[in-house]
Structures are given as structure tokens and as C-alpha cells.
Amino acid sequence: MIDVYLLSGFLGSGKTSLLLHTIGQLKEQGKKPAVLMNEFGTLPFDSDAVKGEGEVPLKELLDGCICCTGSEKTEAQLQGLLEENDDIDVILIETTGVAHPVEALDAIYSPLFADRLDVKGIVTVVDSRRWLDRDKLSPQIRVLFMEQIRHAHLLLANKSDLLSEGEMATLTMELTNFNDSVPIIQTIDAKVAFSFIEKVLNAPKIISDKPIQSGKNLPLSSKLLTFSDSVDREEFERWVKSLPDSVYRMKGYVPIKGVKNPFLFQYAYGMVNWLPEYVKMEPRLVIIGEGLENIRCDKVVNPFFVEK
């Protein structure tokens, strides 16, 4: 039996960071992990990070959802992992930030490989600041955000370093009241010992008896932008800060003036992260959120982009 762990959480919460930390720990233990990733949109930015980890078997679901509507694709990708790799010890499944975790679990339970997979449960990464400000989310998005937390078997209260002691106490109390059956771990950069995850999820109740409020038909969209030229970093960050709260996530490769290769750029709920790249990546940026049709990024309003 191959252990399966499902990593859930809203856009930008830190799921990919958790995935990469876990891969590293598994490899240190001499185990061979494999990964199934789902991304919102057609570009595999998060998958690129996994590819940088070396020989880790990887399957991707792009511009789709690991849920009931995408179950056939999920089955095909999992079957591909199993057929192409006969020495896998653990499968880590990272859902898109807008997937309902229980729907994702349902899609994994296939008679094709039910006798080979031992699904341990759901680890949900919570953006601590976003939880405290959840009332700012639109009603439908807020329901999904809270559903991801409500159906978890382990909660990581991530980005805890951005909260005061009082805010952290409020967060912990509210999460406990909302889902009182699971441990809550405060994390920075989603760092947690995999041995602890194993212990907590050793014998979870996989299919929750709580009613599901589906995340289908969410009013989310993505926009792909390419760059007309290299940008000034400070000017670009000022543009980012001018965007509305309905922009939940941005990721891509941004060309910076005076720097040879584009930087890997990530944004989630007001937090900006830049990482240098040592190979030349195609400069392009994906924006995920609501009401993106109202965000103009053409050359007249903003000289950075050519909108696709």
C-alpha cells in the first residue's frame, strides 16, 4: 500500500511550501515520494518548483480541478504515476486553491487502484491573516475557504509570524471553535515535521460526516499577462499594491531592469515574494481572483504588460 496525503488550502496559503518541505524530509528518510499537482490555469508555475527538487515523479492537472468534475483526469494521472513508477512510497497530492477537499478525496477513491492506495487524510494550510480578515471575501469564496478548514484532519496556521500574540490567540480560539476535532499547528513558511503529520493522520476518519457545501461554479477567473519590457521593481510593487482585494493570487516570472534572468514572483493577500532564477524563464504572470475583467493591464494604463 502507498500512503497518500492530500494538501489543501486557499490560494496563496502555502501549500507548495509545505509540499517542498515534505518532499525534502521524505527523501532524507530514504523514501521515494511522487506528486500530483493541480493548478488553477494552464501554466505550471508551482509544478516547476517540484521539478527543481530532482527526480520526483510528477503528474499535473492544469486548468482543471481534482474533484468530481475532474475525476477521470485524476484517475488517469494517478494510474500513470503507479504504472510508470513501481517504487513509490508516498504520493503527495496538492489541490488547487479553489478545490473542495472532500470532493478531491472522492475523486481519488477509484476501483482502479483502491487496493494500492492508503489515503491518510487532509492537511489544510490556513493563511492566518486571511482567516482574521475572512469577512472581506465574497460570500461564495468565504464558504469555500471555511470548508477547506472544516473538513481538515490537520490544520497548519501558517504565516503566524505576521500576527501579534493577541491575534494568534484569537486565531487559535476561532479555528478550534470551527473545527474542534483536529490539531492546530502554528507554522512559518508551512514548515512542520512530516513525522508529526504521519502521527496525526495515522488513523483519521477519511470521509467526513459533515455536509458538503460545494465549491463548484466559483466566480473566479485567471488572467495571463506577458511583459513588453523589463520593469523597475519598486514601480512594479506599487502597481501590485494598487490592486483590489479581489486579487487573491499572482505568480509568474517578472523581468527586472538590470538583472539577467526574470525573478520568480509570488503574491498572496498583500504579501510579495521575489526569488532569483538561474535560468532564463519566459516572462509572464498569472493573476487569479474575482472581477479581473475590471483590472486593466494594457499599455495605455500600465506600460508593463501585453494582455493575453
Side-chain angles (χ1 to χ4, degrees):
M1 297 287 283
I2 299 172
D3 292 343
V4 179
Y5 296 85
L6 192 128
L7 311 182
S8 175
F10 194 66
L11 295 161
S13 59
K15 295 187 302 300
T16 303
S17 295
L18 171 62
L19 175 66
L20 296 178
H21 296 321
T22 303
I23 289 172
Q25 293 180 65
L26 288 168
K27 292 170 74 173
E28 287 177 0
Q29 295 174 13
K31 295 181 179 179
K32 183 171 181 178
V35 174
L36 175 61
M37 294 191 76
N38 185 200
E39 296 209 43
F40 190 94
T42 58
L43 298 178
F45 287 116
D46 291 336
S47 303
D48 287 345
V50 175
K51 293 171 185 175
E53 291 296 304
E55 297 299 320
V56 177
L58 169 69
K59 293 291 184 180
E60 300 161 309
L61 284 172
L62 301 178
D63 203 22
C65 184
I66 304 177
C67 60
C68 56
T69 56
S71 58
E72 291 183 0
K73 292 181 180 179
T74 304
E75 287 185 8
Q77 295 291 55
L78 280 173
Q79 193 167 19
L81 275 180
L82 295 171
E83 290 181 353
E84 296 165 16
N85 306 274
D86 58 5
D87 55 349
I88 295 173
D89 297 305
V90 178
I91 296 178
L92 305 171
I93 299 178
E94 180 186 330
T95 67
T96 175
V98 294
H100 192 294
V102 175
E103 290 181 335
L105 274 183
D106 284 343
I108 296 164
Y109 287 108
S110 166
L112 294 174
F113 34 71
D115 59 340
R116 299 184 62 187
L117 302 182
D118 183 7
V119 183
K120 293 298 185 180
I122 302 166
V123 181
T124 296
V125 186
V126 183
D127 184 324
S128 297
R129 173 58 64 188
R130 193 183 288 280
W131 169 266
L132 293 179
D133 294 339
R134 60 192 180 280
D135 289 342
K136 295 180 180 179
L137 297 169
S138 67
Q140 198 171 1
I141 298 298
R142 184 166 64 248
V143 167
L144 174 65
F145 176 52
M146 298 178 75
E147 284 285 284
Q148 291 171 339
I149 296 168
R150 190 163 71 113
H151 292 272
H153 300 112
L154 172 63
L155 290 173
L156 305 187
N158 198 32
K159 307 179 186 180
S160 59
D161 54 321
L162 304 180
L163 272 58
S164 66
E165 290 186 9
E167 289 173 326
M168 201 68 233
T170 298
L171 170 83
T172 303
M173 179 186 67
E174 291 180 351
L175 288 178
T176 300
N177 290 338
F178 191 68
N179 187 343
D180 61 2
S181 62
V182 303
I184 301 169
I185 305 300
Q186 299 175 17
T187 60
I188 299 173
D189 196 29
K191 290 182 178 178
V192 62
F194 181 68
S195 58
F196 180 79
I197 295 177
E198 282 186 300
K199 181 179 179 180
V200 171
L201 301 188
N202 186 42
K205 185 177 181 181
I206 297 300
I207 297 298
S208 172
D209 57 3
K210 303 167 185 174
I212 296 174
Q213 293 176 267
S214 176
K216 298 175 187 176
N217 303 316
L218 292 170
L220 288 171
S221 61
S222 63
K223 178 175 286 193
L224 171 63
L225 307 173
T226 60
F227 288 80
S228 57
D229 202 354
S230 296
V231 304
D232 178 85
R233 180 165 166 170
E234 291 184 0
E235 186 178 352
F236 181 79
E237 288 196 14
R238 282 196 293 271
W239 173 78
V240 170
K241 291 177 181 177
S242 73
L243 295 173
D245 291 340
S246 57
V247 172
Y248 299 128
R249 184 85 162 99
M250 288 192 287
K251 51 188 176 181
Y253 299 100
V254 179
I256 300 297
K257 289 181 179 178
V259 181
K260 181 180 178 181
N261 296 322
F263 272 66
L264 173 62
F265 173 81
Q266 300 212 48
Y267 166 88
Y269 200 53
M271 297 300 297
V272 167
N273 185 34
W274 298 90
L275 290 173
E277 283 290 331
Y278 301 102
V279 294
K280 187 171 180 61
M281 305 298 291
E282 184 176 348
R284 50 191 181 176
L285 185 73
V286 172
I287 303 177
I288 303 172
E290 296 179 90
L292 298 186
E293 65 278 3
N294 299 320
I295 298 176
R296 296 188 61 196
C297 303
D298 55 75
K299 289 184 178 181
V300 176
V301 176
N302 191 302
F304 301 147
F305 302 116
V306 178
E307 188 168 342
K308 297 294 184 182

